[in-house]
Amino acid sequence: MSADLSRRSFFRIAAAASAVATVPILTEGHLAHAQRRRFMGRHVPADAVRIDANENPLGPCSGACASISSLIPEGGRYDGELTEKFMSTFCEMEGLKSEYVIPYAGSSEPLHYTVLAFTSKDKPYVTADPGYEAGMRAADLNGAKIIKVPLTSTHTHDVKAMVAASPNAGVIYICNPNNPTGTITNREDIEYAITNKPKGSILLIDEAYIHFSDATPSLDFVKADKDVVVLRTFSKIYGMAGVRCGLVVARPDLLEKVMFYGMNAMPIMAVAAATASLQDKDIIPQRKKINADIRTQTFEWLTANNYGPFTASQSNCFMLDTKRDGKQVQAAMAKKNVYIGRVWPAWPTYVRITVGTQSDMQKFQAAYKEVMNSTAAGLEPLQLPARFAKTPFTHFS
Ligand SMILES: Cc1ncc(COP(=O)(O)O)c(C=O)c1O
């Protein structure tokens, strides 16, 4: 962000601050935590298999860990230079101008803020179904209509239907690859959406999982000044979900509207770890291969055992048809100390599975076989933490 933009924005935000409603930021972690509590009270057993939150079990790379450790004594400092270094490293790698990028502690915040900025009572939020719920939550809080467009028969975004869903769409959300299915949206479809979307609507392209896949990134649309907002996070391939670092990339005039809803100083350890991760040229190909190998082995095992079908994921999660009530399968798996992902209302027999370590997936296989050979278990209703319960929200099951 240029000094000018930041100064202008700061004063605008400060002047308008009293008019801005704060919203609780809903993350994958909250959703997984709510599920875990449903099954075993407050605490996850230390030896539990946690394949319910699309986390990366490998954690931060060695360079990121070294940066974090070396910065502990500096924890008393704000040290904005570390954020500047992070931004310049990212911008240089991606060929972006600095005023097109804002860092946040994860991409959940800019995801919410983009939806708040560009939807309203008259400007709906259009999303794929099943799709990641956080944007729906923000749209709901904003009083915006939520239009859910079913995935195609191959479980990809039905971009044509999404674009046609509302002439007044405020935000059309494309998660590429999609959470929860792991399926990708190809370049032609994204181009179609940019060319044919209603005038004034924003295409929000969430690339949280892009590095696991062969999908083409969409940053060049931002560089070409299109009505596109791209989200990136270090929570997935870089294994920094608990460290918290992400980015929003868009035209400066769009970013100003996003920032209006919130900005903060970045945690110094997060930006230093993210910089070290970007500088590690091997981490993406290495981790992409590890994830793909374990995912392929899991798919082979499912196929050999006549389980499924499952979605053609290119990511670290996939949806698996249990051919039963998915919530009961979840509960039964939890009893075996294997915590699998949630069920989406549109697909009640499917559960989301995160690709864990080889050992995680072996334990998953053993437990899944036992569950499939047994009768279903009972289930308590899902209870989000109280701060999320103020507004009724019906997009979880
Ligand atoms: C699709 C998608 N977008 C954004 C996020 C936000 O992640 P974070 O706030 O950890 O960067 C997640 C988290 O799982 C996600 O699945």
Side-chain angles (χ1 to χ4, degrees):
M1 184 187 3
S2 74
D4 245 23
L5 176 63
S6 114
R7 204 172 304 114
R8 262 187 293 131
S9 308
F10 176 80
F11 287 119
R12 186 166 315 166
I13 289 163
S18 60
V20 180
T22 58
V23 295
I25 303 297
L26 182 69
T27 67
E28 186 59 53
H30 290 113
L31 290 162
H33 190 66
Q35 292 283 359
R36 289 175 192 166
R37 284 174 59 153
R38 176 198 244 174
F39 300 128
M40 18 45 82
R42 296 197 75 80
H43 301 291
V44 186
D47 61 348
V49 174
R50 290 179 287 178
I51 49 173
D52 57 353
N54 291 355
E55 294 159 333
N56 189 335
L58 302 177
C61 66
S62 57
C65 291
S67 301
I68 292 170
S69 312
S70 69
L71 273 171
I72 292 171
E74 293 301 309
R77 307 263 172 215
Y78 296 113
D79 203 344
E81 276 179 32
L82 289 171
T83 301
E84 277 170 26
K85 181 161 181 221
F86 164 57
M87 296 280 285
S88 61
T89 306
F90 179 76
C91 289
E92 208 168 294
M93 276 177 68
E94 299 292 355
L96 284 158
K97 294 184 197 145
S98 62
E99 61 269 29
Y100 281 63
V101 185
I102 306 178
Y104 280 93
S107 63
S108 295
E109 267 187 90
L111 167 53
H112 285 68
Y113 299 156
T114 305
V115 175
L116 293 176
F118 298 107
T119 66
S120 68
K121 197 165 56 57
D122 310 314
K123 293 179 167 186
Y125 176 75
V126 181
T127 183
D129 188 26
Y132 184 49
E133 304 95 324
M136 290 188 245
R137 171 80 185 171
D140 214 40
L141 292 169
N142 220 17
K145 185 173 168 197
I146 297 166
I147 303 177
K148 295 187 193 178
V149 177
L151 296 176
T152 65
S153 57
T154 53
H155 309 135
T156 62
H157 284 56
D158 190 342
V159 169
K160 289 205 167 84
M162 290 178 81
V163 163
S166 164
N168 304 323
V171 169
I172 301 172
Y173 175 69
I174 294 182
C175 188
N176 195 25
N178 188 35
N179 177 8
T181 53
T183 43
I184 65 168
T185 303
N186 64 38
R187 178 77 175 180
E188 295 73 49
D189 280 346
I190 292 183
E191 272 167 0
Y192 178 90
I194 292 171
T195 310
N196 295 286
K197 70 173 183 57
K199 199 167 178 298
S201 69
I202 294 297
L203 202 62
L204 175 57
I205 305 180
D206 188 337
E207 296 190 339
Y209 302 91
I210 192 93
H211 297 116
F212 287 115
S213 76
D214 294 329
T216 312
S218 288
L219 290 178
D220 54 320
F221 294 121
V222 175
K223 289 180 211 167
D225 286 335
K226 302 290 182 193
D227 296 335
V228 170
V229 174
V230 175
L231 299 173
R232 289 280 178 92
T233 179
F234 286 76
S235 295
K236 305 303 171 183
I237 206 150
Y238 292 115
M240 286 177 34
V243 182
R244 312 297 301 139
C245 191
L247 294 158
V248 56
V249 187
R251 262 191 352 245
D253 63 301
L254 302 180
L255 287 185
E256 279 214 47
K257 296 194 168 113
V258 174
M259 276 191 285
F260 177 84
Y261 290 89
M263 272 183 78
N264 204 338
M266 288 295 288
I268 62 168
M269 288 162 210
V271 287
T275 307
S277 302
L278 292 173
Q279 287 166 339
D280 183 337
K281 298 292 169 236
D282 298 327
I283 184 170
I284 291 178
Q286 273 172 1
R287 290 179 168 202
K288 182 178 176 185
K289 180 170 180 344
I290 291 169
N291 178 68
D293 287 350
I294 299 173
R295 189 183 62 222
T296 303
Q297 284 161 15
T298 307
F299 285 176
E300 284 169 357
W301 180 83
L302 289 168
T303 306
N305 285 275
N306 286 322
Y307 295 136
F310 45 84
T311 55
S313 169
Q314 288 201 19
S315 184
N316 72 339
C317 65
F318 60 92
M319 288 293 266
L320 170 62
D321 188 356
T322 65
K323 304 220 171 92
R324 298 186 184 184
D325 179 346
K327 287 187 269 183
Q328 293 194 335
V329 173
Q330 259 189 323
M333 292 292 283
K335 286 203 169 129
K336 297 188 182 300
N337 213 18
V338 176
Y339 296 90
I340 60 172
R342 54 190 180 276
V343 174
W344 269 252
W347 290 12
T349 61
Y350 281 74
V351 289
R352 190 189 65 192
I353 309 292
T354 301
V355 177
T357 61
Q358 207 139 29
S359 149
D360 287 340
M361 300 323 275
Q362 273 158 6
K363 290 177 187 155
F364 158 76
Q365 289 169 17
Y368 194 70
K369 195 163 219 165
E370 284 175 20
V371 168
M372 287 293 111
N373 288 339
S374 69
T375 48
L379 183 72
E380 300 298 319
L382 184 97
Q383 209 66 53
L384 279 173
R387 63 190 176 284
F388 291 105
K390 284 187 189 131
T391 319
F393 189 58
T394 53
H395 304 281
F396 311 113
S397 62

